[in-house]
Amino acid sequence: MPTFNCGHELPKSRVGANLSHIPQDYGKRCPDCQTKTATGTIGLLRNLQQSCENENSLDPNISQRLITYAFDRFVSQRKTSGFKQNFDEFLRACGEVSLHLLGRKQLSNFILTAKNRWGSEIAKQALRAIGTAALKANGVYTPIEPADAEILTTLNRMITLCKERASAIDVFDQLEIILNSAKILKSLQNEVIFALSHLEEGFTKWDSIGSK
């Protein structure tokens, strides 16, 4: 088995078996050494996401175990130098990767594991990171411009409300509401923008007709 530049191999364990499903750069340190630093742990998450985007998608259950591995490695060191300062960045990365790679069942299992191992406060932070990632991924994290347009008032109010609620998620059922709302708001946003563009096109023609 090939070794990393730190001299280690992939661990002969379930974690190692899961890690073998994503491409490894043996010119770098092994995952265990890599996750001894905050940036290395975040890098592992990004590598997981990129690998799934470039290759065939991983089984969501394997993705769940890999995300849980990275989460455990980071949270266990979160109060040490380097990790404490990067905790918010890690949560953002974890939220984005979890949203893209895990189904609802795996998300629920991941949050339950985090709660059982690290407590409800840590689990809440993970839930909120995933909720925020969902709104950003669907392009409904900030009001639609022009924000003061009367026709967009109700939609922008709901976008603002979802952003506020995403930062206050306490349980998985609330996360599901945000995940569903993000998709609905994206659909509504697309419909409104499409409708407005057609209205604008019509009145542009009106002006050109009137000038003949």
Side-chain angles (χ1 to χ4, degrees):
M1 182 178 290
T3 59
F4 294 88
N5 72 357
C6 56
H8 300 140
E9 301 175 349
L10 280 178
K12 295 179 176 64
S13 63
R14 188 178 186 184
V15 169
N18 291 328
L19 287 165
S20 69
H21 288 278
I22 60 175
Q24 300 294 327
D25 184 349
Y26 287 93
K28 296 182 179 180
R29 295 176 300 162
C30 72
D32 274 351
C33 289
Q34 184 181 347
T35 52
K36 289 179 181 177
T37 68
T39 54
T41 310
I42 295 170
L44 179 65
L45 280 176
R46 296 299 189 193
N47 180 43
L48 172 60
Q49 182 176 3
Q50 186 174 8
S51 298
C52 291
E53 290 174 350
N54 296 338
E55 307 289 340
N56 292 329
S57 295
L58 276 180
D59 181 325
N61 294 308
I62 294 175
S63 294
Q64 179 197 325
R65 290 193 285 270
L66 290 173
I67 292 170
T68 301
Y69 165 74
F71 191 83
D72 287 346
R73 295 287 289 177
F74 198 104
V75 174
S76 66
Q77 305 171 85
R78 69 189 183 282
K79 295 182 180 179
T80 61
S81 178
F83 284 82
K84 186 176 182 179
Q85 296 91 321
N86 289 282
F87 193 46
D88 288 344
E89 182 184 352
F90 170 78
L91 284 173
R92 281 194 297 273
C94 188
E96 292 168 6
V97 174
S98 298
L99 176 71
H100 286 101
L101 302 187
L102 304 184
R104 297 287 177 96
K105 179 181 177 181
Q106 289 78 27
L107 281 172
S108 178
N109 290 340
F110 166 59
I111 292 300
L112 181 60
T113 300
K115 182 178 179 180
N116 289 338
R117 292 180 182 175
W118 303 107
S120 59
E121 287 306 312
I122 292 292
K124 287 177 185 178
Q125 291 182 67
L127 282 166
R128 293 166 186 175
I130 297 168
T132 296
L135 295 177
K136 290 182 176 180
N138 284 281
V140 290
Y141 185 69
T142 55
I144 306 166
E145 295 295 338
D148 59 351
E150 187 174 351
I151 194 172
L152 299 174
T153 300
T154 301
L155 185 54
N156 279 334
R157 182 170 57 82
M158 293 307 300
I159 289 173
T160 300
L161 178 62
C162 280
K163 180 179 178 180
E164 292 171 354
R165 294 295 171 86
S167 66
I169 298 172
D170 288 334
V171 295
F172 184 76
D173 286 349
Q174 292 173 330
L175 173 62
E176 287 204 291
I177 292 172
I178 294 298
L179 296 178
N180 294 337
S181 297
K183 290 181 178 180
I184 293 170
L185 288 172
K186 180 181 180 180
S187 177
L188 288 172
Q189 176 181 245
N190 291 340
E191 289 177 7
V192 168
I193 292 174
F194 179 79
L196 288 175
S197 67
H198 275 268
L199 286 170
E200 185 174 344
E201 180 182 349
F203 283 111
T204 299
K205 289 181 180 179
W206 175 290
D207 291 339
S208 64
I209 292 170
S211 62
K212 289 181 180 179

